[in-house]
Amino acid sequence: MNRENPLVLGIESSCDETGIGIVRGTTLLSNTIASSMDEHARYGGVVPEVAARAHLEAMGPSIEAAMTEAGVTFEELDAIAVTSGPGLSGALMVGVGAAKALALSTGKPFYAVNHLVGHVGADILDTRGEPFDYPTIALLVSGGHTSLLLVRDLVGDVELLGETIDDAAGEAFDKVARILGLPYPGGPQIDRAAEGGNPAAIRFPRGLSLPKDMAAHRYDFSFSGLKTAVARWVERAEDAGEEVPIADVAASFREAVVDVLVTKAINACTDLGVPRLLLGGGVVANARLREVAAERAAAAGVALRIPPFSLCTDNGAMIAALAAQLIMAGKEPSSLGVAADSTLPVTEIQVAELTAGS
């Protein structure tokens, strides 16, 4: 196995996107994504069974497309990598099963890695030529995860500073979009609806930001109360026979989410003396989040990094990139006995062995 510049195929299937990526060291060769979002839209959210079936149908064609785009053969690969967790159990099992099958049939080493740490690894594939420095604070925001990490070493030392204690930010966007009569997925719909709206029109609550909350939950997030506050505001307006100002509600809700996310991330940078912040996850596509993060990071003297959008959403390239880093660091392959783990902690960067009770 080439440990200096390994050629790795990565498989990501933690939610509703079948991602296959191929990297050589830190160079991206292909990034194929098959999304089942349209199938979930009719239900207003991701249905685990539908996602798993969609992965089964998309896996083979996606692997073939990625290999063709990269212009490589299975014989040339140095390793097969896969998301072992966290994520939806059934969806993860499809990806893990496919990766094991490929590893067995090709005789290539198998690396089972952490989905959340993979989002941080995506930044390594950035083409700007700027080195990835440690330590860094990473804010990962998606439909299923809202996490704040301290990354001292991508392959050996990742600490969870805080996470959502209820809804993830992406879930909150989906639920508020439904309240406002907007279609799924809610993130881009809220973003569009907020155009022209006044973000200061309604002062929605900032979860876990009061002094009494900050002692125990300084880096944790909560969006369930915010979602409920929006629902109650809309109900009161409708009960009074008033027209609901969709743009103002959307803009005010978005501002509350962005304010909490960025404030807690910058707090972590300041408190821990880390002058670097990385954003990752699909919600990073939100225009206001990127704008506010850039403004506040600059004011705090914090360098902000945001991978290209194609590498922010769930993708196989980030999984391949993380595995390549593990290989270059001398880490041994995972056992083929490891299983998908829907609650895999972020501190477990690579699942190396089958654990008791798995």
Side-chain angles (χ1 to χ4, degrees):
M1 179 169 54
N2 178 359
R3 286 193 176 273
E4 294 184 359
N5 200 29
L7 181 63
V8 183
L9 180 147
I11 297 176
E12 155 59 30
S13 68
S14 65
C15 192
D16 62 340
E17 290 165 322
T18 307
I20 309 298
I22 300 175
V23 306
R24 190 186 299 276
T26 59
T27 302
L28 176 63
L29 301 183
S30 66
N31 184 27
T32 299
I33 299 175
S35 175
S36 58
M37 185 180 297
D38 290 344
E39 297 178 50
H40 300 286
R42 72 182 76 174
Y43 306 106
V46 176
V47 179
E49 293 80 4
V50 173
R53 184 167 60 248
H55 286 308
L56 279 170
E57 295 172 351
M59 189 64 65
S62 296
I63 291 173
E64 291 180 10
M67 295 292 287
T68 299
E69 181 183 355
V72 300
T73 65
F74 288 112
E75 290 73 20
E76 294 175 277
L77 294 174
D78 288 300
I80 308 294
V82 68
T83 293
S84 182
L88 302 175
S89 294
L92 288 168
M93 285 191 283
V94 175
V96 170
K100 287 181 180 180
L102 278 178
L104 280 169
S105 62
T106 61
K108 303 298 181 180
F110 167 76
Y111 284 80
V113 305
N114 192 295
H115 169 80
L116 294 178
V117 183
H119 275 297
V120 181
D123 194 66
I124 291 173
L125 300 175
D126 199 342
T127 58
R128 293 171 296 183
E130 302 171 4
F132 187 91
D133 293 323
Y134 302 107
T136 190
I137 299 297
L139 174 63
L140 307 181
V141 194
S142 67
H145 304 282
T146 302
S147 306
L148 195 58
L149 314 178
L150 170 58
V151 184
R152 298 186 185 90
D153 180 353
L154 183 63
V155 300
D157 190 352
V158 177
E159 178 184 349
L160 177 66
L161 297 177
E163 60 185 341
T164 181
I165 64 173
D166 42 53
D167 289 346
E171 289 179 280
F173 272 97
D174 290 338
K175 291 175 179 177
V176 168
R178 193 177 306 129
I179 291 168
L180 297 178
L182 302 173
Y184 175 87
Q189 297 296 334
I190 292 288
D191 226 14
R192 282 192 283 270
E195 293 179 10
N198 179 6
I202 309 162
R203 176 68 185 184
F204 287 127
R206 272 64 170 163
L208 298 182
S209 294
L210 296 175
K212 66 182 180 66
D213 299 316
M214 292 295 278
H217 296 287
R218 185 168 181 79
Y219 304 129
D220 290 323
F221 304 91
S222 172
F223 298 106
S224 181
L226 170 60
K227 169 205 67 182
T228 301
V230 174
R232 296 293 175 266
W233 196 97
V234 170
E235 286 173 6
R236 285 194 296 270
E238 292 176 337
D239 290 344
E242 301 171 358
E243 182 178 350
V244 176
I246 299 295
D248 284 349
V249 174
S252 298
F253 161 74
R254 182 180 67 174
E255 196 70 9
V257 174
V258 169
D259 187 16
V260 170
L261 290 172
V262 177
T263 296
K264 287 179 177 276
I266 296 297
N267 282 347
C269 291
T270 303
D271 295 345
L272 301 175
V274 178
R276 287 170 289 276
L277 174 61
L278 168 70
L279 302 186
V283 177
V284 173
N286 187 281
R288 184 60 178 159
L289 174 58
R290 299 165 80 102
E291 178 184 3
V292 172
E295 291 173 355
R296 296 194 190 174
V302 172
L304 179 66
R305 295 181 69 104
I306 306 176
F309 179 62
S310 62
L311 296 176
C312 285
T313 57
D314 292 347
N315 63 87
M318 68 185 193
I319 301 306
L322 176 55
Q325 291 295 308
L326 290 165
I327 293 168
M328 290 187 281
K331 302 291 184 180
E332 293 302 313
S334 302
S335 163
L336 284 174
V338 303
D341 184 349
S342 62
T343 60
L344 184 69
V346 72
T347 51
E348 193 166 354
I349 301 166
Q350 177 191 1
V351 184
E353 301 291 340
L354 181 65
T355 57
S358 296

